[in-house]
Structures are given as structure tokens and as C-alpha cells.
Amino acid sequence: MADRRLAPLTALSTLGRRPRPPVVRAAPPPAPTPAPRQSKLIDNAVYAGGRRIATPPSAAESHDWLTEGFDDRLVWLGLYRPEPAELGELAEQYELPELAVEDAIQAHQRPKFERYGDTLFVVLKAARYLDAVEEVEFGELHLFLGRQFAITVRHSESPDLARVRRRLESEPALLGKGSEAVLYAILDAVVDGYSPVVAGLANDIDEIETEVFRGDPGVSRRIYELSQEVLEFQRAAQPLTGILAAITAGFDKYGVDEELRSYLRDVADHVTQVNERIEAFRLQLRDILTVNATLVAQRQNDEIRELTEASIAQGEEVKKISAWAAILFAPTLVGTVYGMNFDEIPELSWHLGYPFALVLMLGVSLTLYAVFKRRDWI
């Protein structure tokens, strides 16, 4: 037993001691030269008194303009889907809050307004209506606002911040009010972008109402999809009421310019109107869905009634056929009995047998006819 246990081990150890041929390894392929990383910095400008005084090629150089001690300068950096490393560099240069930077990198955040010391972090949901496919496309925008800087991080095509920048640059007096003016202009652009969406949704709902009463079989799916768009739109627009209320509450504490206060109140009024329309859309779609369900149920009831009436009519015909079959079966039965080819049938020698058979067949038939007639089978 001991030898058998040791034999395999000895064999394995001998194989392990055998010299192995040298392994020739191919040289690893040269590492590909990494492509130079393209910056996601769309626009980079330094403003003084509301006028652009420089367009530095990098964010670091624009930050140097703020170290010269001029309080009226403002750096506005516009980024489109930046890399985490690029946003991390900006966070170090402008001392951005870490949690807010993580939110800006990950995206998919709800609209909100947060204050970290002297830095504001705002998340906005933009929306635009696509006429070609009759759908609403939602975008996300993150804003970092400090006393002398404004950093916008865009994760979608909307809103068009280039147009916002051109508007502010055409109004130096407004842009000279600082980063609060940038916040106002972007909020105004986002809310203005809601108007075409409201108009497009209103048109879609009108079309759905027509399809409902036309009996279009695919309207239920469209109602559901449109309801989801309205809910998503509500999630984008409704938090703006709280955001603007929080901004308004800090007017006096942070010394917001009176002109900007009136502008922001106007934006708040527009947001209220949009939210009222969205709520009306939601209720309207709920009513349309109820009406559509009622119409579908009514059409199903009509179909069931028609099938029932057809079934009843068929039953009546079957009853008539069955009644006549029973009436005709009675004389056939009697005739069959008397027509059997047997010699020993008692009635064969009876001279009244034939008339009796005829009377019997006629009597049974008339009796069955009377019974079926009384029961409305005939």
C-alpha cells in the first residue's frame, strides 16, 4: 500500500525535474501612441466691466487673470461633457466643492440649488421639442458660480449657451453685474426653451383627442408615451419654483442687484405658468385615457352584443330545424316499424292496420307541431 501511494508522487517529481526547452517569447508590440486629448472647453472668456477683454487658450491662463487684484473681472468657462480629469483641474483652481464636482461628472442629477460658502451649484434640466419625431428631448446643465467666475458644464445639446453668451455680451451693463447675471440669463434661456415644448405637447394632445374618437387602435400607446414625457417635463420644470424661491430668499443677504431681482421674479412668473400648463396637460391626459378606456369598453360591448344577437338568431334557427326534424321523425319511425320484413307481425292480418298507421303518423306529427308551436319553436 505504501509503495502504491508513493509511486505517483515519484513520477510527478521526476517529470518536474526534467529539463524544459527554453520558451521563446515574442517581443510585445509597441504601445500605440496615445492621441492628444482634446479639450472640452467650448468657450473661455475674461470680462471686465461686462466686456470681453481676453480669450485665453486654457482654463489655467484664464484663472491667472483673477490673481491681479481686479474685483470687476469675471471668468466664464463653458464646457461640454468634460473629462473627469479636466473638471478636477478646474475644481483645484477655483476651489469647487467636491460633492458638487462629483455630481457634475456623473450627471443624471435632479434640478437643484445648493450653496457651498461663496460658491453656488445649480443643476438645471433643459428641454426642447423635436418636430420631426414629435418627442421631447431633455438635457442637463450644471453651473458653478462664484464671486468672479462662472463655470457651465453641459451634458446635452440644449440649451444653446452660445446664444446666452452673445446676449449678455451685447448688454455689458447686465453682464457687469457678475455671475448672478450669468445665472439669470441661463435660467431665462432654459425657461424660454420650455415654451416650444408646451406648444408641441398641446398640439400632440389635440391630435390624440382626435385619434381617440376616431377609434385608432394605437392611441393607447401614444397616450402612455406622451404621459411619460409630461411627467419628465414636470420633473424638469417643477423644481425651478423652489430654486427661484431659494435665490429670491437670499436677495437681501447677498446684496443682489435690484434689476436682477426684477428679472428673476419675471423668470419665476414664467416658471409658474409653465408648471400650470404641465399640470393641466397631466390632468387632460388622465381624462383622455379614461375616455379612451370607456370608448374601448363600449366598442367591446357592442361587439359582444352583436355576437350575442347572432348567437341568439342561430339558436332560433336551430330550434326551428330541430322542431321540424322531430315532426318528420315521428312518421318515419312509425313507417319504419310497419315496413319491417317479418312474417309474424300482428297488424299484417288486420284490415284496418294501414289506415291506423297513417292516422298514427298524422296524429303524432300534429301533436308535436302543436307542442313546438306553443313554445315558439316554429
Side-chain angles (χ1 to χ4, degrees):
M1 294 294 292
D3 294 339
R4 278 199 288 259
R5 289 175 188 169
L6 292 174
L9 294 175
T10 305
L12 288 175
S13 61
T14 303
L15 290 174
R17 290 193 298 270
R18 290 176 183 174
R20 297 179 180 178
V23 178
V24 179
R25 299 183 182 273
T33 303
R37 184 172 59 87
Q38 297 181 354
S39 175
K40 302 294 183 177
L41 189 62
I42 304 301
D43 200 351
N44 179 15
V46 179
Y47 299 92
R51 300 184 182 277
R52 184 185 290 232
I53 60 174
T55 306
S58 66
E61 293 183 32
S62 63
H63 183 265
D64 293 339
W65 285 80
L66 302 180
T67 60
E68 298 179 3
F70 295 94
D71 294 336
D72 64 338
R73 289 183 178 177
L74 174 69
V75 172
W76 185 354
L77 302 172
L79 297 95
Y80 177 72
R81 294 179 179 175
E83 298 292 338
E86 187 173 6
L87 198 55
E89 293 175 2
L90 291 178
E92 293 180 1
Q93 293 169 0
Y94 293 91
E95 299 181 355
L96 303 181
E98 181 180 353
L99 294 177
V101 172
E102 291 179 359
D103 290 344
I105 293 174
Q106 296 175 0
H108 304 293
Q109 304 294 320
R110 62 177 180 82
K112 58 183 177 180
F113 173 86
E114 295 175 344
R115 186 180 294 275
Y116 298 89
D118 294 332
T119 302
L120 298 180
F121 177 61
V122 184
V123 179
L124 301 176
K125 288 282 190 179
R128 64 174 180 173
Y129 187 80
L130 304 178
D131 293 320
V133 293
E134 294 185 342
E135 293 180 356
V136 181
E137 181 185 75
F138 296 94
E140 189 169 338
L141 176 66
H142 300 254
L143 287 81
F144 296 92
L145 303 169
R147 189 174 59 87
Q148 288 187 290
F149 68 87
I151 301 174
T152 57
V153 180
R154 213 161 30 97
H155 290 277
S156 60
E157 299 301 327
S158 60
D160 186 4
L161 295 185
R163 188 179 63 178
V164 177
R165 191 185 290 265
R166 288 194 299 268
R167 174 198 169 186
L168 285 176
E169 289 180 349
S170 66
E171 302 179 32
L174 178 59
L175 183 54
K177 300 182 185 299
S179 59
E180 291 89 353
V182 177
L183 175 60
Y184 152 71
I186 293 177
L187 280 170
D188 188 49
V190 170
V191 176
D192 285 346
Y194 290 162
S195 297
V197 178
V198 171
L201 290 175
N203 184 63
D204 289 345
I205 292 176
D206 291 340
E207 292 178 356
I208 282 179
E209 287 180 340
T210 303
E211 293 174 359
V212 165
F213 290 101
R214 190 189 301 162
D216 190 337
V219 70
S220 298
R221 181 182 182 86
R222 191 176 180 192
I223 293 174
Y224 173 78
E225 292 175 350
L226 190 57
S227 299
Q228 295 302 309
E229 289 184 354
V230 170
L231 287 176
E232 187 69 20
F233 191 23
Q234 189 174 40
R235 296 190 189 102
Q238 196 171 40
L240 289 182
T241 302
I243 291 175
L244 288 165
I247 295 174
T248 304
F251 279 170
D252 295 331
K253 181 177 180 180
Y254 297 98
V256 178
D257 183 83
E258 187 62 35
E259 184 179 4
L260 282 178
R261 296 186 185 190
S262 61
Y263 288 158
L264 288 169
R265 291 192 190 100
D266 182 64
V267 174
D269 291 339
H270 291 170
V271 170
T272 301
Q273 295 174 7
V274 170
N275 284 324
E276 289 175 353
R277 292 296 304 277
I278 294 174
E279 182 64 18
F281 289 159
R282 192 181 65 82
L283 297 177
Q284 191 174 358
L285 285 171
R286 185 188 64 184
D287 295 340
I288 290 175
L289 188 61
T290 302
V291 171
N292 182 62
T294 303
L295 292 176
V296 170
Q298 184 177 354
R299 285 193 293 268
Q300 291 177 345
N301 291 336
D302 292 341
E303 293 175 358
I304 293 174
R305 186 180 68 253
E306 292 175 359
L307 292 174
T308 303
E309 291 175 353
S311 177
I312 292 174
Q314 291 177 354
E316 294 295 328
E317 295 297 328
V318 170
K319 287 195 296 183
K320 291 179 181 181
I321 295 173
S322 300
W324 284 111
I327 292 173
L328 296 176
F329 176 73
T332 302
L333 179 62
V334 176
T336 301
V337 172
Y338 279 89
M340 291 187 296
N341 295 323
F342 291 101
D343 293 335
E344 299 299 330
I345 296 179
E347 291 82 1
L348 291 179
S349 59
W350 187 28
H351 66 282
L352 296 178
Y354 179 69
F356 176 75
L358 293 177
V359 171
L360 180 61
M361 287 187 287
L362 181 62
V364 173
S365 298
L366 292 175
T367 301
L368 290 175
Y369 179 82
V371 172
F372 290 138
K373 188 68 175 178
R374 183 179 300 175
R375 296 188 177 182
D376 294 329
W377 281 40
I378 297 178

